[in-house]
Amino acid sequence: MSGLEWLAAVTSALGVWLTGRRTVWCWPVMLLASVLYGAVFAQDHLYADAALQAVFAALALYGLWCWLRGVQASGQVHIVTPTVQTLWRDTGITALAGLALGLALRTVTDDPMPLSDAGLSAYSVLGQIWTAKRYRACWVLWIVVDVLYALLFVQRRLFVTVVLYAAFIGLAVQGWRQWRNVPARTP
């Protein structure tokens, strides 16, 4: 439990909390959290998760751009309901990408859990994309991913991060509750 892990955890929790409140300030905070957690994961040899933080940093910029285009006069962003076909297509492509990345990690790295690491990383990218696009379904995906990540981090003995992901589960449930009754647009 390093000071860096604590700082990354607090910054990440703040970013998710701000996301639930539909404020564009969540994205600069998430950018900082991605940089901090990139360092934490690299130190623990979770290479897919470290690389994922670089992707998250780029997606934070994308999310900021998307949310600035969907902001209401109140300062909150519009919510979007994607089609069922979009949800199935995205989850299917993500499963294939996670499998491919997991096989690559198993072959070329010393990642102790390559398929779990890669699958969770792939679905985290999808969650971040859905969040950037303001899809209400992002919260359901985050709940599932966060539960599975908490289990991974218990095995890796990253206990501060386990606590963070337990908090993420609660924040994702809260985000879902806050977004579920907001009138949504179709993409």
Side-chain angles (χ1 to χ4, degrees):
M1 293 190 284
S2 69
L4 180 62
E5 186 182 0
W6 276 105
L7 182 59
V10 169
T11 305
S12 295
L14 176 61
V16 174
W17 182 79
L18 290 168
T19 303
R21 274 138 191 82
R22 300 183 359 244
T23 174
V24 297
W25 287 104
C26 68
W27 296 107
V29 172
M30 295 304 279
L31 177 62
L32 176 59
S34 296
V35 171
L36 295 171
Y37 256 115
V40 170
F41 292 140
Q43 290 173 356
D44 203 53
H45 304 282
L46 289 171
Y47 304 113
D49 282 315
L52 175 64
Q53 298 311 308
V55 173
F56 276 179
L59 287 171
L61 297 173
Y62 172 68
L64 179 61
W65 178 75
C66 288
W67 280 37
L68 286 173
R69 294 177 51 220
V71 76
Q72 301 170 332
S74 67
Q76 295 180 317
V77 295
H78 294 283
I79 303 301
V80 176
T81 301
T83 65
V84 172
Q85 293 84 1
T86 297
L87 296 175
W88 280 109
R89 179 200 67 213
D90 290 358
T91 55
I93 290 169
T94 302
L96 293 174
L99 180 60
L101 178 59
L103 294 174
L105 285 174
R106 187 167 58 185
T107 303
V108 299
T109 73
D110 63 347
D111 189 324
M113 305 177 85
L115 294 175
S116 297
D117 190 12
L120 290 171
S121 294
Y123 278 102
S124 293
V125 168
L126 180 60
Q128 204 67 343
I129 291 169
W130 283 2
T131 303
K133 291 183 174 187
R134 304 180 314 271
Y135 290 177
R136 187 181 321 228
C138 74
W139 294 110
V140 175
L141 179 59
W142 282 125
I143 292 166
V144 172
V145 167
D146 291 343
V147 166
L148 295 174
Y149 258 128
L151 295 173
L152 172 69
F153 295 136
V154 164
Q155 291 178 322
R156 296 301 302 149
R157 303 181 58 80
L158 291 170
F159 297 116
V160 172
T161 305
V162 171
V163 172
L164 171 66
Y165 274 77
F168 280 168
I169 295 163
L171 288 168
V173 169
Q174 181 182 13
W176 168 252
R177 287 180 180 154
Q178 289 174 330
W179 285 31
R180 75 173 172 206
N181 294 322
V182 174
R185 297 178 174 185
T186 55

